[in-house]
Every structure is written in structure tokens, then in C-alpha cells.
Amino acid sequence: MLASLGKEPFDDPDWIFEIKWDGYRAIAELGKELKLYSRNGVSFIKKYIPIVDALQEQQHEMILDGEIVAYNEDHLPDFQTLQHFGEQHNVPLVYHVFDLLYLNGHDIKSLTNIERKELLKEALVESDFIKYCDHVDGKGVDFFKAAKENNLEGMIAKRASAPYSEGHRSGDWLKIKHHNTEEVIIAGFTEPRGSRKKFGALILGRYKNDTLIYAGHTGTGFDEKSLTEVAQKLKPLIRKSSPFDVTPKTNMPATWVQPKLVCNIKYTELTNEHIFRHPVFMGLRIDKSPKEVTVPKNEKAMASKPTKTQNVKTAPKKSKSSKKQNQRKIKDAC
């Protein structure tokens, strides 16, 4: 089940509110054969061994829906930290489970959200690597405020009475963001300048009415490892012509690629033309299909027109005491 874009936090006794995690959505099938995979079918079995081992300890035959999250040094869910999990196995890793689709021979997707969560809470065996994702009832405004104070990604609002609509982007689930993050498709890259190797910037796009439209370009957020990784994945996708119906102008010669790779970005503003300003590369998304990366119907522009580049202030470093406070707040929230 997929969430639509929500406009702003709200209070409603008929809704529940959960943390919007900053990780990989994952389905776990627990039966004769254990499966753990992304929403587009990519297996996580060999990638996240601690979670797989913990799933082996579950006591019921279940299909779980949740999100795999890695925690950074500030004890916050962090997508970039998750990207480097394979290199740093001491990174705290948790599968936050928020839904139950099948239990001991019974398909329960037709039950209400609340009924499924009640069954999930009873059936799930929690551990350091698997956690039940709790929620609050009705009080979305206060919950979103707490999410912002903890510097979390945002929140998910869910209609308490809704069934689980598999593969459907429903208005019964709404994502309400705190951070300006988005998924985009890599449609090409420009030649490098100066000391940069591999490529200069990625050319980004999204689908609108089945047409790929330009969404901006990003040349920041890379280290040597991510530059190399992305370049290697782009090389076999190179094509002669632009994948856009309307080819954007670039400040350096462009190489076009098949629009098959999806990445995460964070950005400062969004223009009326649905172009991201100051996008920063956060990592590749192996869990999403390019066809899922569309311009939401109710997407709201944050800037009326492109303006001159502005300096983006960086957040001050947090003290150790604030890190501990954040850790406690997150634990209380979910």
C-alpha cells in the first residue's frame, strides 16, 4: 500500500499517526521459506543479515510490512547511513514493522488498520533489530511537532478504519514531510569540470502523465565511492538520444542514459515548473521503480521562479546531551 502526499498535519479521531522513516520499505514473508524484499521485488536477504537472523526467531507464519532503517551518530534514522551499512556493520539497524498482511494461514488485508496493528503487536517478537512501530490516535498536529523537534523525516497519517489496498496509492495513507526530500530519476549526466572525476552533475527527471520531464540537476553530495558507484551503474545505460520529450539545456555537454536508476535528493525549494533548486544527492534507491517516480497531483511549489544561488546555512553541531535527548524522544515516539 502506498501513501499519497498530504498537505499539512491535522487532528482527527478517525486517523492514526506514525513516524515517517528514512530508509528502505521492506516486506517480510515468514513461512516455509523466509523472504525479505523491497516493494519492487529486490531481495534484501543477503544485504541485511542481522534483520534476517532476527526474523528467523519469529514464532508465527506472517507477512510483515515495514521499513529498514539505519541510525547515524546522532541516533537519528538516516538514509545515507543506510547506504553505507555494508561497509560499517556496527551501524545500528532496525526493521520497524507497521503492518501485518497475513497471519497463520489467514489473509487479513481486509481488516481495518487498527485491527491489523493490534494483531501485529501481539504476534511480533521484538528484538534489537525488529521493532513494532507504534502510533498515536487523533493528535496529528502535536505528533508532527514532535517529529520536527526530533529532526525526523515527517509522519504518516493513516485512516484507522482503512483496509490494506495492495499496490494502490491511496488517500487513506498520507505522507506529511518535514524535510524537503524526494525521489528522482537519473536521465543523464554532464562532463566533469576541474578536479571532479567520472561526471559533473546528474540530470534529473520525474514522470508526469507518463512523460518524463526535467526536474533539475545535482553535482553535490558525492564522495569518491558514490561517484564511482553511480558512474559504473550509468555506463551500461548510456543512449544516444535524450529520454525527455523536451530536452533541457545543460551548462556542460550531456550524456543521456536510459531512465532506470532512482536516487534520493534533498533540496531547498521547488519552482512552479516542478524543478528542484539546490538538490543534493543522498543515495541510490534500489527499492523503487522509475515508473513510481511521478509528480504528485497536489505538489505545491515553494518558489515562484528560479532565483540567484543563495548560501545554504549548515546546521550547528549538536552537543552530546542533545543527542541523548533525541534518542529518548524517538524511543518515546515510536
Side-chain angles (χ1 to χ4, degrees), residues 15-134:
W15 289 70
I16 65 174
F17 303 92
E18 300 170 354
I19 288 175
K20 184 181 186 299
W21 300 106
D22 193 11
Y24 283 144
R25 182 84 173 271
I27 298 293
E29 295 187 14
L30 313 179
K32 292 181 180 179
E33 180 185 1
L34 190 153
K35 297 180 181 179
L36 181 67
Y37 53 88
S38 70
R39 56 197 255 184
N40 62 338
V42 175
S43 177
F44 290 142
I45 289 290
K46 294 182 179 179
K47 190 172 182 67
Y48 301 117
I49 301 299
I51 289 174
V52 173
D53 290 344
L55 287 171
Q56 301 275 13
E57 303 301 316
Q58 295 299 312
Q59 299 173 1
H60 298 277
E61 186 177 313
M62 300 183 289
I63 297 180
L64 307 173
D65 192 355
E67 190 139 351
I68 297 173
V69 171
Y71 286 80
N72 62 21
E73 59 182 13
D74 291 328
H75 308 291
L76 292 171
D78 183 68
F79 185 75
Q80 285 184 311
T81 301
L82 184 61
Q83 294 282 295
H84 298 293
F85 171 74
E87 307 146 40
Q88 305 169 7
H89 287 288
N90 60 337
V91 169
L93 190 71
V94 177
Y95 181 35
H96 288 284
V97 184
F98 48 71
D99 216 326
L100 179 64
L101 316 185
Y102 180 92
L103 178 63
N104 296 333
H106 300 281
D107 185 329
I108 62 171
K109 294 194 293 291
S110 62
L111 297 181
T112 68
N113 210 331
I114 284 295
E115 289 170 333
R116 297 194 310 274
K117 292 206 73 171
E118 287 174 350
L119 289 171
L120 173 62
K121 191 170 185 178
E122 290 182 13
L124 191 70
V125 178
E126 292 191 278
S127 68
D128 289 342
F129 300 102
I130 298 179
K131 300 290 184 183
Y132 168 75
C133 180
D134 212 338

Side-chain angles (χ1 to χ4, degrees), residues 64 73 100 122 159 212 219 273 298 312:
L64 307 173
E73 59 182 13
L100 179 64
E122 290 182 13
R159 194 183 303 276
L212 188 67
E273 293 76 28
N298 62 338
V312 180

